Amino acid sequence: MDSVDVKIIECLKANSRENASVIGSKVNMSVSAVIERIKKLEASGIIKQYTVVLDNDKLGLDLTAFISVSMEHPKYNDGFVEFVMCHPQIVECHYITGDFDFLLKICTSSGKGLELLLNEIKFVKGVSLTKTLVVLSTNKESCSVDINAAVKAD
C-alpha cells in the first residue's frame, strides 16, 4: 500500500459513494487506475465493506451504554454470542481480557429499553455478572482507523 492508496481510502472513508472519476481527480490518476487500485484493496481485505452511518439520535436511539459481561465458564461463550448476534440493540460485541469476558455496546431508546435488555442479558445461560456504563456524551466516534496513523505505525 502506497501513499496513493492511502489517499483513495481517505476519499472512500469520507464518502464511499464517490465515483472513481472524482477520486481520480483528487489523486491525479485515471479512472481505470483508481478502479483497479480499489479492486486490489478490496481483494486484499483492507477494504472489508461499504456501509451507511446512521444518526442514532434521529432514529430515537439516543441512549448508548456499554455493558461488561462475565461468564461462569468459557463453555457458555458460544451461546452468549448467538444471543448477541440476534439482538439488534447490541451494536458491538468484543471478547476481552481482564475482569470481564465480553464488552457490549448498546443503542436503545430509553432507560426502560436498557433495563429490559440488561435483564435479557442476565438471563442468558452462563452470564454471572454485568456492569453497565451509560454514555452521557460522545466526543469521538469513528467507523475505522485513521489510515495515515495506521500506515505510519508500520
Side-chain angles (χ1 to χ4, degrees):
M1 191 163 65
D2 61 15
S3 63
V4 175
D5 288 334
V6 170
K7 289 177 185 175
I8 290 171
I9 290 171
E10 287 176 338
C11 291
L12 292 171
K13 279 181 62 178
N15 179 4
S16 64
R17 293 183 64 181
E18 194 164 61
N19 65 42
S21 62
V22 173
I23 294 171
S25 67
K26 291 179 180 179
V27 299
N28 200 23
M29 292 186 82
S30 69
V31 172
S32 59
V34 169
I35 291 170
E36 185 63 31
R37 282 180 177 254
I38 291 171
K39 285 181 181 178
K40 285 180 181 175
L41 291 165
E42 292 168 343
S44 70
I46 291 172
I47 296 176
K48 287 176 33 174
Q49 74 179 50
Y50 298 92
T51 191
V52 174
V53 178
L54 302 174
D55 186 325
N56 289 338
D57 290 345
K58 290 183 180 176
L59 293 171
L61 301 172
D62 53 356
L63 192 147
T64 301
F66 290 90
I67 301 176
S68 301
V69 179
S70 282
M71 304 301 290
E72 289 176 20
H73 189 276
K75 70 182 179 184
Y76 296 112
N77 289 1
D78 290 344
F80 180 75
V81 170
E82 283 181 33
F83 165 81
V84 165
M85 298 302 284
C86 295
H87 209 293
Q89 291 177 300
I90 302 172
V91 296
E92 292 180 21
C93 175
H94 306 275
Y95 186 53
I96 59 172
T97 63
D99 294 336
F100 291 88
D101 298 300
F102 291 94
L103 179 64
L104 308 177
K105 181 178 180 183
I106 310 299
C107 292
T108 189
S109 60
S110 65
K112 185 66 174 172
L114 177 60
E115 178 186 357
L116 293 171
L117 177 56
L118 187 55
N119 285 334
E120 279 186 64
I121 291 168
K122 289 178 178 182
F123 275 105
V124 175
K125 188 172 183 173
V127 171
S128 62
L129 179 68
T130 64
K131 180 179 179 181
T132 304
L133 301 168
V134 174
V135 174
L136 299 177
S137 65
T138 300
N139 298 304
K140 181 179 180 180
E141 188 172 47
S142 182
C143 295
S144 61
V145 298
D146 177 345
I147 188 66
N148 285 308
V151 170
K152 288 177 186 173
D154 289 337

